[in-house]
């Protein structure tokens, strides 16, 4: 189809928070967190670090890897559920920081699936205009959206950003297809309210705060099944067998979800990119960070078929197939 990822980049904040650090805040332990989630550490934004700062750093690396100038970028899409400002979008702040004056820019919200939804959007723009280059960023400052007294959630998430420049190359296979899904009827299993209304006539008795709230066990069950179905769906549609897939780059929710998914797909552990132990769950940033690390480690070579898959709040989920 000709849509290709021209370059990737990522950025993690310097500050490392260990499970022992969290055990000083809530009633938990390193042992519990490691065995239930596989997470050992996560990165957390510093005092003056915001979502758009991480997004901009990841974007600069992706643009450098793509070998293009910022003036060539026609569109910036930032996938996030933790923008520093609701208005302007994180994408507009990234545009300002980069000096990408030719681009228009906006955010999308598809929770942990945001990067896959963003890449699909970019693909459509690029197919409509072969000269278009789209910067897609997944960026989160989730530590600012956690209830740090809720041990069900505060152990799971981390901050970070990942980016990709999407463009067109004549004759390339590139983006093969995606199977993207949503089911809003299940929203109450994983959600985060918007800030309280400032309308004085509105009471806020039922507002739990602008924090992530989750039914962990239910999310777990839905996540494994949904990602497995999405993967089989996109493979069947494109007529490609799982044995042709070199690498699976899944959303890094937790190790037990990833192991269960690999087991159901009968994929060897070595063919699955996993970094959740270091970074925790970084929502929209998790897939582009894992993708960038796999590219830089030489795990993805030209011609390789790779699968990306996600599951997140909404619910939103999907699988994307790319020939590198
Ligand atoms: N430390 C110690 N004990 C804890 C903690 C904690 N951090 N959290 C919960 N517990 C306790 C519970 O209170 C409960 O105690 P009880 O038996 O006395 O009531 C016990 O541990 C078991 O709790 P469960 O919720 O049943 O624990 P479970 O084994 O399901 O593990 C977990 C919880 C890790 C959240 C799991 O359900 C999970 O991984 N779910 C997937 C959620 C996820 O990944 N969400 C990310 C967002 S969505 C996405 O990205 C896909």
């Amino acid at each position: 189809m000709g849509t290709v990822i021209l370059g990737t980049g990522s950025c993690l904040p310097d500050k490392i928070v260990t499970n022992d650090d969290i055990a000083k805040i809530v009633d938990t332990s390193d042992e519990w967190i490691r065995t239930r989630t596989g997470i050992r550490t996560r990165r957390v934004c510093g005092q003056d670090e915001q979502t758009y700062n991480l997004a901009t750093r990841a974007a600069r690396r992706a643009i450098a890897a793509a070998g293009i100038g910022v003036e060539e970028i026609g569109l910036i899409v930032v996938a996030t559920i933790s923008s520093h400002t609701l208005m302007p979008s994180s994408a507009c702040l990234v545009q300002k920081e980069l000096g990408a004056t030719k681009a228009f820019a906006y955010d999308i919200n598809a929770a942990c699936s945001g990067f896959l939804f963003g890449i699909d959007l970019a693909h459509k723009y690029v197919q409509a205009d072969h000269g278009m280059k789209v910067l897609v960023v997944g960026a989160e400052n989730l530590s600012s959206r956690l209830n740090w007294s809720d041990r069900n959630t505060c152990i799971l998430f981390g901050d970070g950003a990942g980016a990709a420049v999407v463009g067109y190359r004549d004759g390339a296979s590139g983006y093969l297809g995606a199977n993207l899904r949503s089911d809003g009827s299940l929203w109450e299993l994983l959600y985060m309210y918007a800030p309280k209304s400032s309308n004085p006539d509105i009471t806020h008795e039922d507002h739990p705060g602008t924090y992530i709230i989750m039914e962990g066990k239910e999310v777990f069950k839905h996540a494994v099944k949904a990602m497995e179905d999405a993967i089989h769906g996109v493979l069947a549609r494109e007529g490609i067998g799982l044995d042709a897939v070199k690498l699976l780059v899944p959303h890094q929710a937790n190790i037990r979800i990833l192991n269960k998914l690999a087991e159901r797909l009968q994929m060897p552990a070595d063919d699955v990119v996993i970094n959740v132990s270091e970074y925790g769950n970084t929502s929209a940033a998790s897939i582009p960070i894992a993708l960038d690390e796999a590219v830089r480690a030489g795990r993805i070579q030209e011609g390789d078929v790779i699968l990306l898959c996600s599951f997140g709040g909404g619910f939103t989920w999907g699988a994307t197939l790319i020939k590198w």
Side-chain angles (χ1 to χ4, degrees):
M1 283 203 259
T3 300
V4 287
I5 292 186
L6 297 169
T8 62
S10 58
C11 167
L12 280 310
D14 290 336
K15 186 175 172 192
I16 297 172
V17 172
T18 65
N19 293 340
D20 286 334
D21 293 332
I22 294 187
K24 290 176 193 145
I25 307 169
V26 289
D27 182 14
T28 189
S29 67
D30 173 54
E31 202 263 337
W32 196 96
I33 300 173
R34 265 190 298 107
T35 52
R36 296 300 218 289
T37 71
I39 299 166
R40 292 171 181 271
T41 57
R42 71 283 293 142
R43 301 296 184 89
V44 168
C45 281
Q47 191 70 33
D48 297 320
E49 219 164 17
Q50 308 295 349
T51 309
Y52 74 92
N53 302 123
L54 303 181
T56 303
R57 278 180 237 145
R60 285 206 175 99
R61 289 170 191 157
I63 292 164
I68 64 163
V70 285
E71 70 287 350
E72 292 180 64
I73 296 168
L75 166 62
I76 299 172
V77 177
V78 175
T80 185
I81 53 167
S82 53
S83 187
H84 177 51
T85 46
L86 285 180
M87 182 182 66
S89 64
S90 283
C92 282
L93 297 178
V94 169
Q95 185 224 17
K96 173 185 90 73
E97 294 292 304
L98 292 176
T101 50
K102 304 259 171 62
F104 65 107
Y106 58 88
D107 287 358
I108 59 169
N109 173 347
C112 307
S113 302
F115 184 74
L116 292 200
F117 285 33
I119 290 282
D120 193 64
L121 197 69
H123 165 60
K124 266 106 194 181
Y125 275 104
V126 164
Q127 287 296 313
D129 173 0
H130 292 176
M132 182 74 147
K133 291 186 178 57
V134 185
L135 172 67
V136 181
V137 189
E140 302 289 7
N141 178 356
L142 292 174
S143 60
S144 66
R145 299 290 193 280
L146 293 174
N147 176 354
W148 284 97
S149 58
D150 175 14
R151 67 179 183 174
N152 289 303
T153 52
C154 74
I155 59 160
L156 291 173
F157 297 94
D159 302 338
V165 178
V166 179
Y168 184 84
R169 196 176 291 143
D170 221 7
S173 303
Y175 194 91
L176 300 174
N179 183 9
L180 306 179
R181 308 293 306 277
S182 301
D183 184 354
S185 71
L186 298 170
W187 72 271
E188 280 172 301
L189 297 176
L190 178 60
Y191 65 93
M192 176 166 59
Y193 272 118
K196 291 174 184 176
S197 166
S198 60
N199 181 342
D201 291 336
I202 293 177
T203 58
H204 291 289
E205 277 158 22
D206 298 330
H207 197 297
T210 312
Y211 304 125
I212 294 175
I213 295 173
M214 180 186 72
E215 295 286 341
K217 268 197 200 320
E218 286 301 313
V219 172
F220 193 109
K221 274 190 281 178
H222 284 283
V224 175
K225 171 94 175 67
M227 285 193 282
E228 185 191 4
D229 289 350
I231 287 171
H232 286 309
V234 74
L235 288 170
R237 198 196 304 143
E238 301 309 322
I240 291 175
L242 247 184
D243 50 347
V245 173
K246 169 85 182 307
L247 208 59
L248 175 66
V249 187
H251 167 52
Q252 308 287 311
N254 78 50
I255 196 69
R256 289 192 302 147
I257 290 181
L258 299 182
N259 286 345
K260 195 88 192 151
L261 181 64
E263 181 191 310
R264 296 243 201 129
L265 296 171
Q266 297 183 318
M267 268 192 110
D270 283 354
D271 294 353
V272 184
V273 178
I274 292 178
N275 62 16
V276 68
S277 66
E278 269 182 278
Y279 307 140
N281 180 343
T282 57
S283 192
S286 99
I287 292 175
I289 292 171
L291 180 64
D292 182 50
E293 290 194 339
V295 169
R296 285 170 196 272
R299 294 180 74 184
I300 303 174
Q301 301 294 333
E302 196 171 337
D304 288 344
V305 174
I306 64 161
L307 250 178
L308 316 176
C309 70
S310 70
F311 184 85
F315 286 147
T316 59
W317 68 97
T320 299
L321 203 51
I322 299 173
K323 187 165 187 184
W324 206 256

